[in-house]
Amino acid sequence: MKKSVYMAEMDAFTYREKLAENPVVFVPVGALEQHGSHMAMCVDAYLTKAMAGATAERVGGICAEPIIYGYKSQQRSGGGFHLTGTTSLDGSTLIAIVRDIARNLVEDGARKVVFMNGHYENYQFVFEGVDLALRDLRAKGIEDARVMLMSYWDFVDDKTIEELYPEGFTGWDLEHAGVMETSLMLLFYPDLVDMDRIDPELYTGLPAVLPNYDMLPIVPEYTPPSGCLSHPGASTREKGVILRDVAVENMVAAIEKEFGLSK
């Protein structure tokens, strides 16, 4: 059996041995949602697994399987959950899933856990699930587990943003299916991207201009016709390499600091 940082590719006995070494265990948290006509709908889960795996390799960690489904896509950060293909969880469901996974990992012996988020809308529900899991564990007398929450794009520094967005950066909330995600997909999963499907007649009104409030029921006309919130046309594999390297380097530094890992 090949050596791997991915938990699902290990046999249970190897996993048990690795847990005994007190590694950092990563849990990617994604979503299944539309990403325009040029990318597959698996972007959030696949990219986060790849980024978590790359970070795990650097710190000698383990990467669990991703949570594939995420909280409802919002119009102002993901196009909206009214769009076909976006298949979402209620907040309470995501909280329960995170709570169960966090509790199980710690009960198996993990004491350093990182939930790495890849879907903008997930964050607070992941936070709640982790907090409840730690409460459950304390009630069982387990008080030495520590859990870190992060979204990988937050580790792309200002210098890199200026380099990759020379015409100005619209913010991570509007980066849905834009340059960052598309460039990283061109790096990790090029067969799931088709830049020729960026139809000029479809990819209009970008970056999106949205109201500074939310409406329910959703007003479909507020979402650009492509479902994207910024234009992916300037995406390249080379930009994906830069984004991966910068984000992983900065995530490693933060993890080493918080968990007291030796370099």
Side-chain angles (χ1 to χ4, degrees), residues 24-74:
V24 179
V25 180
F26 294 80
V27 183
V29 189
L32 181 65
E33 64 173 350
Q34 65 81 32
H35 279 78
S37 61
H38 71 290
M39 280 200 298
M41 292 186 287
C42 61
V43 169
D44 293 352
Y46 278 32
L47 280 187
T48 313
K49 180 178 179 179
M51 294 293 278
T55 310
E57 288 177 353
R58 287 282 304 276
V59 300
I62 297 171
C63 181
E65 283 298 275
I67 298 174
I68 297 294
Y69 298 97
Y71 182 64
K72 302 178 183 74
S73 174
Q74 304 295 289

Side-chain angles (χ1 to χ4, degrees), residues 23-122:
V24 179
V25 180
F26 294 80
V27 183
V29 189
L32 181 65
E33 64 173 350
Q34 65 81 32
H35 279 78
S37 61
H38 71 290
M39 280 200 298
M41 292 186 287
C42 61
V43 169
D44 293 352
Y46 278 32
L47 280 187
T48 313
K49 180 178 179 179
M51 294 293 278
T55 310
E57 288 177 353
R58 287 282 304 276
V59 300
I62 297 171
C63 181
E65 283 298 275
I67 298 174
I68 297 294
Y69 298 97
Y71 182 64
K72 302 178 183 74
S73 174
Q74 304 295 289
Q75 274 190 299
R76 292 192 288 154
S77 53
F81 60 86
H82 63 295
L83 296 171
T84 302
T86 296
T87 308
S88 309
L89 302 176
D90 289 343
S92 57
T93 306
L94 181 55
I95 289 169
I97 291 171
V98 171
R99 184 180 189 173
D100 286 350
I101 291 173
R103 187 178 62 248
N104 273 262
L105 290 173
V106 174
E107 287 175 341
D108 278 349
R111 291 298 183 268
K112 304 184 184 91
V113 180
V114 174
F115 277 83
M116 187 180 293
N117 179 42
H119 176 63
Y120 196 86
E121 294 87 340
N122 283 342

Side-chain angles (χ1 to χ4, degrees), residues 21-262:
E21 299 171 0
N22 196 23
V24 179
V25 180
F26 294 80
V27 183
V29 189
L32 181 65
E33 64 173 350
Q34 65 81 32
H35 279 78
S37 61
H38 71 290
M39 280 200 298
M41 292 186 287
C42 61
V43 169
D44 293 352
Y46 278 32
L47 280 187
T48 313
K49 180 178 179 179
M51 294 293 278
T55 310
E57 288 177 353
R58 287 282 304 276
V59 300
I62 297 171
C63 181
E65 283 298 275
I67 298 174
I68 297 294
Y69 298 97
Y71 182 64
K72 302 178 183 74
S73 174
Q74 304 295 289
Q75 274 190 299
R76 292 192 288 154
S77 53
F81 60 86
H82 63 295
L83 296 171
T84 302
T86 296
T87 308
S88 309
L89 302 176
D90 289 343
S92 57
T93 306
L94 181 55
I95 289 169
I97 291 171
V98 171
R99 184 180 189 173
D100 286 350
I101 291 173
R103 187 178 62 248
N104 273 262
L105 290 173
V106 174
E107 287 175 341
D108 278 349
R111 291 298 183 268
K112 304 184 184 91
V113 180
V114 174
F115 277 83
M116 187 180 293
N117 179 42
H119 176 63
Y120 196 86
E121 294 87 340
N122 283 342
Y123 197 89
Q124 298 303 328
F125 301 99
V126 175
F127 188 103
E128 179 69 2
V130 168
D131 185 56
L132 293 176
L134 290 176
R135 186 196 308 178
D136 297 339
L137 291 161
R138 286 192 295 269
K140 293 183 176 183
I142 302 174
E143 300 185 358
D144 57 343
R146 300 186 69 216
V147 183
M148 190 173 186
L149 282 65
M150 57 172 60
S151 297
Y152 67 81
W153 52 82
D154 286 333
F155 292 84
V156 180
D157 56 39
D158 291 342
K159 180 181 178 182
T160 304
I161 290 173
E162 291 175 6
E163 177 184 351
L164 298 185
Y165 298 87
E167 297 181 1
F169 181 59
T170 57
W172 293 125
D173 53 340
L174 293 184
E175 258 297 296
H176 175 70
V179 169
M180 179 193 69
E181 288 187 320
T182 304
S183 295
L184 286 171
M185 286 293 286
L186 286 169
L187 170 63
F188 290 117
Y189 306 102
D191 55 328
L192 298 179
V193 184
D194 187 350
M195 299 296 282
D196 292 335
R197 285 180 56 79
I198 301 176
D199 185 344
E201 295 184 2
L202 186 64
Y203 285 66
T204 60
L206 301 174
V209 179
L210 299 163
N212 61 348
Y213 52 85
D214 297 297
M215 287 298 302
L216 290 172
I218 283 177
V219 181
E221 293 76 21
Y222 289 166
T223 302
S226 65
C228 302
L229 300 184
S230 60
H231 203 287
S235 306
T236 65
R237 182 186 184 278
E238 292 69 27
K239 289 181 180 179
V241 171
I242 294 170
L243 286 161
R244 177 200 61 193
D245 290 350
V246 168
V248 168
E249 188 69 31
N250 290 331
M251 286 190 288
V252 166
I255 290 165
E256 288 178 338
K257 173 187 174 183
E258 293 300 334
F259 291 124
L261 303 181
S262 58

